[in-house]
Amino acid sequence: MYFKPRASEKLANPTLQRALANFKERFVGARTEAVAQVPNFEELREAAKAIRNRALANLDLLLEEFERNATARGARVHWAEDAEAAARIICEIARTHGVKKVVKSKSMVSEECNVNDALEAQGVQVVETDLGEYILQLAKEPPSHIIAPVVHKSRDEISDLFAEKHGTPRKTEIAALCREARDVLRPHFLSADMGISGANFIVAETGTTLIVTNEGNGRMVTTLPRVHVAITGIEKVVPTLEDVALLLRVLTRSATGQPISNYVSFTTGVKGAGDLDGAEHFHIVLVDGGRSKLLGSDLWEALRCIRCGACMNHCPVYQTVGGHAYGWVYPGPIGSIVTPAYVGIENALDLPNASTLCNQCGVVCPVKIPLPDLQRKLREQQVDRGLRPWTERAALRLWAWVAQRPGLYALGTGIAVRMLSAMGGKERLLHSLPGASGWTGGRDLPAPAGRTFRELYRKRAVRQ
Amino acid sequence: MKVGLLVTCLVDMMRPRIGFAALKLLEAAGCEVVVPETQTCCGQPGYNSGDRRAAQALALKLVREFAGCDYVVAPSGSCAGMVRAHYPELFHEFPEHLAEVQRLASRTYELTDFLVNVAKLKEVPGKFSGTITYHDSCAGLRELGVQGQPRGLLARIPGLKLTEMKEAQSCCGFGGTFSIKYGDLSAAIADKKCNHIQASGADAVVLGDLGCMMNIEGRLRRRGDGKTRVLHVAEVLAGMTDESRE
């Protein structure tokens, strides 16, 4: 994963830059408004954090309780230790039920586990039905945001894509594009043998899985086909429905600025004797994939995440390079924590460092994850494991060594400011500086005054 | 009250005038100011780059240097935030130093916060005629709650008009070593800040942190804007904005 070159490429892409500017305006504005309408939003954040902490503290017990209750209502719970196991389990379910076609609603955990590829490899047709995910499936691209997956694309690009892939006249109206997608997708809902959904939460006391959606596709995916598979991470469990009610209040406001999403679909067990709809077979695949290891570590707070996306919406880095630059499933500040945690710290060295630590993410996170603190912890782990470039280590060590010796420090800084001042010339600006091209590539360096405060202060003291 | 001025390494090197401005303001507020001569760096570069041990050594040095002061005041939200918000966490594994560190942390303030809430500065000595816009630096704003303090003080300067830019609270892209490691990304974020500053029509952008200051000024100048002034809030409040008097 190479964040740096990808980020540079994204900076040079004007279509993406325009899309990101629009996106930021819309999502940041919507959240600000929605939060202002709740008088005690800060208390809600505190309560949401407490619920998630309680769930994580009792994770093993709650998962067992969930399995008991889901099983009692006819669902079957599968435990997947890693991504490969999850894909294998889902392929096996498809084989057992003789599945030829799958319709999917949005699920980031399924991205994590490459479920689509695995199913397609055994000849199953997979159709994404979330509009954004459907567009990306046509374009053969991964999502660039966890709730607004296609945010990196312009409407023009989507018009071209639909005309090309659907073989229809090019449309530019959003409503017409949506209608076209709906016309294409409707027959798939009716003919699919299996629906795959994610789960925003799973509820221990009832064995319920639930999804939060805006398009209604999720409800069709979970009720129309005879087999329903819900896949999610083990950390998504919460004790009670009451807890869900509170979490929903912070989730949708933080995500899209809605007081509630258009749909919140609760699925509890299989279709009962008198029920008109619902799946006959309900499989729930709970994925560990590094989560239980995270639980015992000093990054555990990242597991509180309820995947609202507010951290990325408000992140100056995400707003400038978009989600694809991050290189794996989860972008933005939360991605900079869970990516190294799940794929290996040495495989994502840039991510925790590519942050200004501005803490805009931390102050909007609905479950108060201290994201910059966690990024800093990962930076410490990189240093401890010798994963930083030696030049950087040497520079920092030298700085710290000199800064512990005030006499030497005064001498060194005195010389440095004189040199820099001289280099600044009449303009009082440095346009380039050997060894600091990272800075001077895009900025000048204002020249220092030429004497340190320490020198001037001593002189003044002598005069007095 | 005896106030230790934490000059900060960037002010010491890059713009000593800010240190003298802070000194003048603290004295105007009736404080007895001491400037520990051996002070160097608060340890933030190491702390934010994962070198915890280096940060601990420098932090302990700072704690001892300022031990005799009633308060520690820095003309920087990020250095004051380092001491106040992060030192206690940094000494987590050294309980023998914790009490000492916590005592100092709780008495450490960003300059404008201190002038308003502790020293209760009456007369603002500064003079400035023109329009300014204020950039909230991240650490000052989100670690220390510095927002109304500088604006309130600036509003008391006759002839100064404050106009708010769009997204005053968003990061300028500095981020310490981030600005060098990810230079083009950092400059691209700075660009957005510069757009808002220029769109505000202000004669000067005023702020409270040297890092943001160098970043914003560096980007403005590179874009060819030699006109918009970039001033530290202490310089404006102390009436020390005149380049020729350095």
Side-chain angles (χ1 to χ4, degrees), chain A residues 3-4 8 11 24-25 316-317 319-321 350 353-360 363 373 376 379-380 383-384 388 392-393 396-397 399-400 403-404 406 409 413 417 429 431 438-449 451-454 456-458 460, chain B residues 5 7 9 11-14 16 19-20 23 27 35 37-41 45-54 57-58 61 86 138 142 166-167 169 171 173-175 178-189 192 214-215 217-219 221-222 246:
Chain A
F3 172 86
K4 235 175 151 167
S8 302
L11 287 175
K24 176 183 87 173
E25 199 92 346
V317 174
Q319 287 165 357
T320 308
V321 297
D350 271 319
N353 291 292
S355 155
T356 65
L357 303 177
C358 78
N359 197 27
Q360 186 62 54
V363 300
D373 292 343
R376 214 180 273 112
R379 294 178 186 190
E380 284 174 8
V383 168
D384 290 346
R388 297 307 304 165
E392 181 188 318
R393 293 290 302 123
L396 283 163
R397 272 206 196 138
W399 171 256
Q404 285 171 69
Y409 181 90
T413 52
V417 297
L429 286 174
H431 303 300
W439 180 281
T440 53
R443 281 156 297 205
D444 293 335
L445 181 69
R451 298 287 180 275
T452 61
F453 175 86
R454 161 187 339 264
L456 298 169
Y457 183 73
R458 193 178 298 155
R460 196 177 88 151
Chain B
L5 178 63
V7 178
C9 59
V11 165
D12 179 41
M13 286 190 275
M14 302 306 288
F20 289 106
L23 202 59
E27 283 171 352
V35 186
E37 224 188 314
T38 54
Q39 63 175 301
T40 55
C41 162
Y47 183 61
N48 286 343
S49 303
D51 193 343
R52 202 173 164 83
R53 259 164 306 176
L58 289 173
K61 174 175 165 296
H86 298 291
C138 298
R142 283 181 277 274
K166 220 177 131 201
E167 296 175 22
Q169 302 188 358
C171 179
F174 173 64
F178 171 85
S179 62
I180 296 174
K181 287 186 206 162
Y182 302 94
D184 54 350
L185 180 47
S186 171
I189 300 172
K192 300 182 193 183
M214 290 160 55
N215 188 40
E217 184 170 0
R219 185 62 199 162
R221 303 296 175 252
R222 178 60 60 90
E246 286 207 5

Side-chain angles (χ1 to χ4, degrees), chain A residues 231-306:
Chain A
I231 174 173
T232 198
I234 53 170
E235 86 283 18
K236 294 286 176 63
V237 72
V238 291
T240 65
L241 285 169
E242 186 92 33
D243 294 329
V244 170
L246 189 132
L247 290 169
L248 284 175
R249 294 189 69 196
V250 294
L251 171 60
T252 58
R253 286 182 172 88
S254 302
T256 49
Q258 292 168 289
I260 186 83
S261 51
N262 294 349
Y263 298 85
V264 179
S265 307
F266 295 77
T267 309
T268 311
V270 292
K271 181 179 180 174
D275 291 347
L276 290 176
D277 48 27
E280 294 157 35
H281 307 279
F282 185 21
H283 296 271
I284 301 162
V285 181
L286 299 180
V287 184
D288 184 333
R291 287 159 173 83
S292 57
K293 222 165 79 197
L294 199 55
L295 190 61
S297 77
D298 52 5
L299 302 174
W300 71 273
E301 290 180 278
L303 289 170
R304 278 207 296 270
C305 179
I306 55 173

